[in-house]
């Protein structure tokens, strides 16, 4: 099975390759990195209709070459909702949906953390849909200043800020903490196995590869 990962940050390549190795996937992942797509969306405060159309055209051009495509950027992810190309059997997924599905199945109080402000609207819409009773909605919060550290190349600072936000969330009563963006997943390694926050790479690859 050939799986393409569409990233907007090159650092997500290692995160997904690590997840694939942990799941013993037989075929290597193909990585497509297009940071300008996120940069454009950030300038407009989220994806505009023309930007979405541009991404849809890109997806159409990729579909003949792959069995599945994962959009790993939470800002671009909503494009996958309802996307379908006639004549192609290549599904397009957003990785954060697998994470949201996992959060919705958990009992107790959940906290969803975001690092980039441009992902907030899309993340809230995904994790707190109108079809879900309000009392079951997780709390969605932005980690102030984290994305600036990431964009400045301060990876250690970025991950420490995320780890601190996870710890504070648990101290404030969250039973579960999920990291909405793929770039945040590396922070899970700062916790012991039993206390790690939920992340999307393994969940997404399990779903796409039909691993039970």
């Amino acid at each position: 099975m050939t799986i393409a990962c569409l990233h907007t940050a090159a650092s997500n390549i290692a995160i997904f390759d690590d997840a694939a190795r942990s799941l013993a996937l037989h075929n290597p992942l193909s990585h497509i990195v297009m940071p300008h797509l996120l940069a454009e969306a950030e300038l407009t405060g989220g994806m505009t209709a023309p930007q979405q159309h541009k991404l849809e055209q890109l997806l159409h051009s990729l579909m003949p070459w792959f069995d599945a495509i994962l959009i790993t950027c939470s800002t671009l992810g909503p494009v996958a909702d309802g996307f379908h190309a006639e004549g192609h059997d290549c599904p397009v997924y957003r990785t954060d949906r697998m994470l949201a599905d996992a959060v919705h199945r958990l009992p107790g109080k959940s906290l969803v953390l975001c690092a980039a402000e441009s992902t907030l609207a899309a993340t809230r819409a995904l994790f707190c849909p109108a079809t879900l009773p309000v009392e079951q909605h997780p709390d969605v919060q932005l980690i102030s200043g984290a994305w600036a550290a990431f964009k400045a190349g301060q990876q250690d600072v970025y991950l420490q800020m995320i780890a601190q936000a996870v710890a504070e969330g648990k101290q404030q009563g969250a039973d579960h903490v999920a990291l909405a963006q793929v770039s945040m997943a590396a922070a899970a390694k700062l916790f012991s196995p039993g206390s790690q926050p939920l992340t999307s790479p393994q969940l997404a690859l399990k779903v796409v590869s039909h691993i039970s």
Side-chain angles (χ1 to χ4, degrees):
M1 183 178 195
T2 57
I3 301 172
C5 298
L6 177 59
H7 309 292
T8 53
S11 56
N12 287 354
I13 294 175
I15 292 173
F16 266 84
D17 282 344
D18 285 347
R21 279 191 293 270
S22 72
L23 296 171
L25 294 186
H26 299 298
N27 297 323
L29 303 176
S30 294
H31 298 286
I32 302 158
V33 185
M34 308 196 77
H36 67 281
L37 295 177
L38 176 58
E40 292 170 0
E42 287 182 323
L43 286 174
T44 54
M47 290 202 76
T48 63
Q51 289 166 355
Q52 179 167 332
H53 179 66
K54 181 179 177 181
L55 178 52
E56 289 171 347
Q57 288 182 313
L58 171 63
L59 293 171
H60 278 285
S61 71
L62 294 174
M63 294 182 81
W65 308 102
F66 299 103
D67 294 314
I69 299 172
L70 284 172
I71 300 177
T72 69
C73 175
S74 296
T75 301
L76 307 185
V79 172
D81 294 334
F83 180 84
H84 179 69
E86 291 292 337
H88 292 289
D89 295 323
C90 174
V92 177
Y93 301 94
R94 54 186 296 186
T95 59
D96 53 3
R97 179 167 294 284
M98 287 76 158
L99 183 63
D101 290 344
V103 168
H104 293 157
R105 290 192 294 267
L106 292 171
K109 180 181 177 183
S110 294
L111 169 65
V112 179
L113 295 173
C114 299
E117 189 172 358
S118 63
T119 71
L120 266 178
T123 299
R124 284 204 174 102
L126 177 63
F127 283 83
C128 305
T131 53
L132 189 70
V134 174
E135 60 271 17
Q136 295 180 28
H137 285 187
D139 184 15
V140 179
Q141 294 182 10
L142 178 71
I143 306 174
S144 180
W147 198 239
F150 178 84
K151 292 175 74 173
Q154 299 172 330
Q155 183 73 358
D156 289 343
V157 174
Y158 177 61
L159 297 181
Q160 285 294 338
M161 292 177 73
I162 295 167
Q164 182 178 349
V166 171
E168 290 176 353
K170 290 187 175 181
Q171 289 170 2
Q172 294 169 7
D175 298 302
H176 315 283
V177 180
L179 305 181
Q181 294 165 244
V182 169
S183 63
M184 305 169 75
K189 295 180 180 179
L190 301 177
F191 295 84
S192 60
S195 61
Q196 290 182 341
L198 298 166
T199 60
S200 63
Q202 276 200 4
L203 289 170
L205 291 177
K206 280 184 178 181
V207 171
V208 174
S209 303
H210 309 294
I211 297 174
S212 60

